[in-house]
Amino acid sequence: MSAYVLHVGAQVACAHQPGRASPPVGNPRVQVAGQQVVTQPSIYTVTGCILPTPPAANGPCATAVWSTAALRVRAGGIPVLLADSTATCAPSGTPLTVLVTQIRVRGS
């Protein structure tokens, strides 16, 4: 099955709304909807997470690492991220959710 390709302007959030996640950079050579695509090694930065600090919880989400990406679509030889790719936030261990992305280019 295919899913939409993520780009640097996609809205991505941690499980503790209104925390937003964003990539450091995209691939400068490949664009969708006029914005750079994001590849799997990208470590997202999370801001605005409301998860309490210890001892109430394990602290607000700070970063997120993607564990899955496209199997067949690559940019510069690296798998691109898709709307259904999975990521885990640190230190909470919760997932990221893709809220909005472009809806023209799909990958698998």
Side-chain angles (χ1 to χ4, degrees):
M1 210 156 129
S2 65
Y4 295 114
V5 174
L6 286 188
H7 56 76
V8 295
Q11 292 180 18
V12 182
C14 73
H16 316 102
Q17 303 274 337
R20 296 287 183 202
S22 58
V25 294
N27 183 296
R29 298 188 69 180
V30 181
Q31 296 185 351
V32 294
Q35 297 189 50
Q36 299 172 344
V37 298
V38 183
T39 55
Q40 186 174 13
S42 296
I43 297 175
Y44 272 52
T45 301
V46 181
T47 57
C49 179
I50 59 170
L51 187 65
T53 57
N58 57 349
C61 298
T63 60
V65 177
W66 295 86
S67 55
T68 64
L71 297 174
R72 302 175 78 188
V73 179
R74 297 175 180 266
I78 303 168
V80 299
L81 294 177
L82 303 173
D84 65 355
S85 296
T86 57
T88 304
C89 294
S92 68
T94 58
L96 286 182
T97 303
V98 176
L99 303 174
V100 177
T101 190
Q102 58 81 33
I103 55 170
R104 296 189 80 147
V105 181
R106 289 180 171 263
S108 61

